[in-house]
Amino acid sequence: MEYGKVLRFHRVKQGLTQNQLADGIISPAYLSKIENDQTVPAFEVLELLYERLGLDFHDSSYNHPSKEKLKEWYETIVFKRKEEARKLKDDLIQQKDTLNNHHLYIFYELFRIRHLLLENEVEKAYVAWKDIRQHEDTFDEEMEYYFHLSSGLLEYYRGNYDESFQQLMEAKNYSSSIVHELEDWEISDLYYILALSTSQANHISASVFYVDQALEIYQARYDLEKSADCHILQGINYSKLKNYAKALENFHMARKIAMQTLNRNQLNLVYINIGTLESRIGNHESAIQNYKKSLYYNDSDTTYKQSYLLTTIHSLILEHYRLSDFDGCLDWINEGEQELKKLPSKPHELHFNFYKLIIKNDPTVISHLEEVIIPYFQDKKEHIYIIRYSMVLADLLEKKRMYKKSTNYLRLAIQLLNKHSHLGGILL
């Protein structure tokens, strides 16, 4: 048994210093050697240290749930079976030794990070990650794998895609050492998350590779829903690579699967992304039809779906504007403003307000773009909207014969276009 790691784990968990734990028993220096597994002390010493921490040295087995029970919980999290995951979590925390046993507690906390992300509790997940990180020097290779996987997912949810990729690559490195401990669904899960992070970080070729790796395993398991997820992501990747034929092929495959499984969320996403693709190639009427189809499958029963709904309404406004159908624009703006009452969203509020101003030829539109809209999206690093609104502003300034300022905004848009040429697509 790794006595040193257990001692350090409980000492840190209880907020004790080495001096406080060692006081009157051994020297802090000797305790440090024990905690770092540099020496094996006498059982009498260990008993005294355990007693100070409130642990029973002679009861190392505990009546705790097995690690298999924890992995069962983790599987429900990975496959997004929310109700089952909540129930298993409640069962686990009823067992006090889940939180008292060093080995089980680490796995419980690492899995809990992902459960919090599943519940969209990103800040709580970050707090849990910071808490467990202080125990990292007690981790074995399997714990390191889940720690870096959780770290990568957390960074993904926080929008730090390059850091997410780095953490996931660390997890991949550890996976080779514990390959016999991992189920095939865990390997495919790792590849899929890698594919997500690399797609968002614009490492598109890498994402295509990882999607293919994940899809191969999901297809072998006849996991239709995960296979559809892969096809949606691959469609987005090929769209970014401007291989629109391959993109549509993947979107249609995802749609075919989602129709079989009756997965309305996936159908919603498929039609949104087909609409985005059609818009990119200038088929604005087709884009509108696909966006409208997506609305049929948006039940708005979650924050995510409500966000998709606002994004789709914004896209419909833009497509009608590009067709100079200003009445259609205003109709969808009104629809969007009604939805904002249910779920306030500052970026969508700015989008909808901009189109009202531009359609009505409001003289304040230039100052609003300069002082409010573009600075907001620059602060959020939303490059696609900085580009879009900078180009609009450049055109408006040119019409006012303000050529120097117009050139500056046009240059800003071109620089960002050259740097971020793969923008587009909505992910799960």
Side-chain angles (χ1 to χ4, degrees):
M1 183 175 178
E2 299 173 317
Y3 295 110
K5 289 183 177 180
V6 173
L7 286 170
R8 186 192 183 284
F9 165 75
H10 286 285
R11 176 179 64 76
V12 172
K13 189 180 176 188
Q14 294 180 30
L16 299 176
T17 65
Q18 288 183 330
N19 286 343
Q20 289 171 321
L21 178 56
D23 186 33
I25 302 175
I26 52 175
S27 70
Y30 189 51
L31 175 59
S32 179
K33 287 185 177 182
I34 296 172
E35 289 188 350
N36 290 304
D37 294 322
Q38 295 174 353
T39 186
V40 180
F43 279 1
E44 292 81 2
V45 171
L46 286 171
E47 283 184 299
L48 290 171
L49 293 171
Y50 269 58
E51 183 180 350
R52 180 160 291 173
L53 289 168
L55 306 174
D56 185 349
F57 176 69
H58 297 287
D59 183 12
S60 60
S61 61
Y62 299 107
N63 181 26
H64 57 66
S66 66
K67 184 179 171 184
E68 285 70 28
K69 188 74 172 177
L70 283 166
K71 287 293 287 284
E72 181 186 345
W73 178 45
Y74 183 65
E75 185 174 359
T76 65
I77 297 168
V78 170
F79 287 94
K80 300 180 181 179
R81 301 198 295 265
K82 286 189 177 183
E83 290 303 321
E84 193 177 347
R86 290 168 188 158
K87 183 179 184 305
L88 282 171
K89 179 190 174 185
D90 290 341
D91 292 344
L92 286 164
I93 60 178
Q94 293 302 315
Q95 303 285 337
K96 69 179 181 64
D97 296 308
T98 302
L99 307 181
N100 290 339
N101 178 281
H102 161 255
H103 192 76
L104 296 177
Y105 176 82
I106 295 294
F107 283 108
Y108 174 80
E109 285 297 301
L110 290 172
F111 297 165
R112 188 169 74 89
I113 293 169
R114 186 153 185 181
H115 188 229
L116 288 167
L117 292 175
L118 175 63
E119 299 286 358
N120 201 33
E121 299 279 3
V122 179
E123 286 310 308
K124 288 183 180 179
Y126 182 59
V127 171
W129 176 82
K130 287 196 295 185
D131 288 342
I132 202 64
R133 184 179 56 171
Q134 65 185 325
H135 300 296
E136 190 178 0
D137 58 359
T138 73
F139 291 178
D140 58 24
E141 288 186 327
E142 189 177 6
M143 293 171 183
E144 288 282 5
Y145 168 77
Y146 289 111
F147 174 72
H148 287 291
L149 182 66
S150 298
S151 301
L153 261 177
L154 182 59
E155 294 295 347
Y156 179 86
Y157 272 76
R158 300 180 81 205
N160 303 322
Y161 302 120
D162 284 316
E163 180 60 26
S164 170
F165 174 58
Q166 295 304 319
Q167 289 291 335
L168 292 169
M169 286 304 295
E170 285 291 324
K172 186 173 181 294
N173 291 338
Y174 277 106
S175 71
S176 61
S177 302
I178 60 165
V179 65
H180 298 299
E181 302 291 330
L182 299 175
E183 303 283 347
D184 60 352
W185 57 265
E186 293 187 87
I187 300 296
S188 56
D189 176 60
L190 172 61
Y191 282 132
Y192 181 70
I193 300 170
L194 271 165
L196 283 174
S197 69
T198 48
S199 182
Q200 291 286 41
N202 290 325
H203 307 310
I204 309 303
S205 296
S207 185
V208 168
F209 170 78
Y210 288 126
V211 172
D212 283 341
Q213 297 297 304
L215 184 57
E216 184 178 347
I217 300 173
Y218 288 135
Q219 287 176 333
R221 287 172 51 86
Y222 299 100
D223 190 327
L224 295 178
E225 290 199 358
K226 288 289 187 180
S227 295
D229 286 344
C230 287
H231 282 298
I232 292 171
L233 178 52
Q234 203 70 304
I236 291 170
N237 285 334
Y238 281 117
S239 182
K240 290 178 179 180
L241 292 171
K242 299 183 180 179
N243 188 338
Y244 300 123
K246 286 287 286 184
L248 276 172
E249 179 184 325
N250 277 277
F251 288 141
H252 289 320
M253 182 60 72
R255 180 176 61 185
K256 182 179 179 180
I257 296 170
M259 291 295 287
Q260 286 180 312
T261 59
L262 302 178
N263 190 315
R264 295 178 63 83
N265 187 49
Q266 288 178 336
L267 288 166
N268 178 28
L269 286 168
V270 164
Y271 283 115
I272 291 174
N273 281 295
I274 292 177
T276 301
L277 186 154
E278 295 287 4
S279 176
R280 283 167 69 101
I281 60 179
N283 295 336
H284 302 301
E285 292 283 3
S286 180
I288 288 170
Q289 293 307 311
N290 279 283
Y291 287 136
K292 286 182 176 178
K293 286 179 183 178
S294 79
L295 294 177
Y296 173 75
Y297 294 103
N298 188 310
D299 302 315
S300 302
D301 57 351
T302 67
T303 302
Y304 275 133
K305 285 193 175 183
Q306 187 72 13
S307 177
Y308 294 155
L309 178 57
L310 289 170
T311 300
T312 304
I313 290 172
H314 176 214
S315 298
L316 282 162
I317 293 167
L318 177 59
E319 296 308 307
H320 282 283
Y321 183 80
R322 285 169 170 167
L323 292 170
S324 298
D325 178 8
F326 302 135
D327 288 337
C329 268
L330 291 171
D331 287 343
W332 284 109
I333 289 169
N334 291 334
E335 185 77 21
E337 288 177 336
Q338 291 302 311
E339 293 299 329
L340 285 175
K341 294 176 182 178
K342 303 174 189 175
L343 182 72
S345 168
K346 183 63 176 179
H348 289 97
E349 179 187 329
L350 291 174
H351 294 319
F352 301 160
N353 190 48
F354 162 75
Y355 285 104
K356 280 202 296 188
L357 294 176
I358 198 76
I359 289 169
K360 295 176 181 178
N361 293 314
D362 192 300
T364 67
V365 67
I366 289 177
S367 61
H368 195 64
L369 282 165
E370 282 189 289
E371 298 167 15
V372 180
I373 295 179
I374 292 175
Y376 175 85
F377 289 112
Q378 285 176 320
D379 182 61
K380 299 296 181 181
K381 298 181 180 178
E382 293 278 358
H383 303 296
I384 190 170
Y385 298 123
I386 302 170
I387 293 167
R388 183 177 296 168
Y389 288 121
S390 292
M391 293 181 73
V392 171
L393 180 55
D395 185 55
L396 292 172
L397 289 168
E398 185 181 21
K399 290 175 181 176
K400 293 284 186 180
R401 299 186 180 182
M402 302 170 72
Y403 299 119
K404 185 175 180 180
K405 289 180 75 174
S406 173
T407 301
N408 288 339
Y409 280 104
L410 185 60
R411 186 181 295 116
L412 171 62
I414 291 170
Q415 287 173 345
L416 289 173
L417 272 170
N418 289 335
K419 189 175 180 181
H420 303 280
S421 60
H422 303 300
L423 294 170
I426 294 179
L427 299 166
L428 287 166

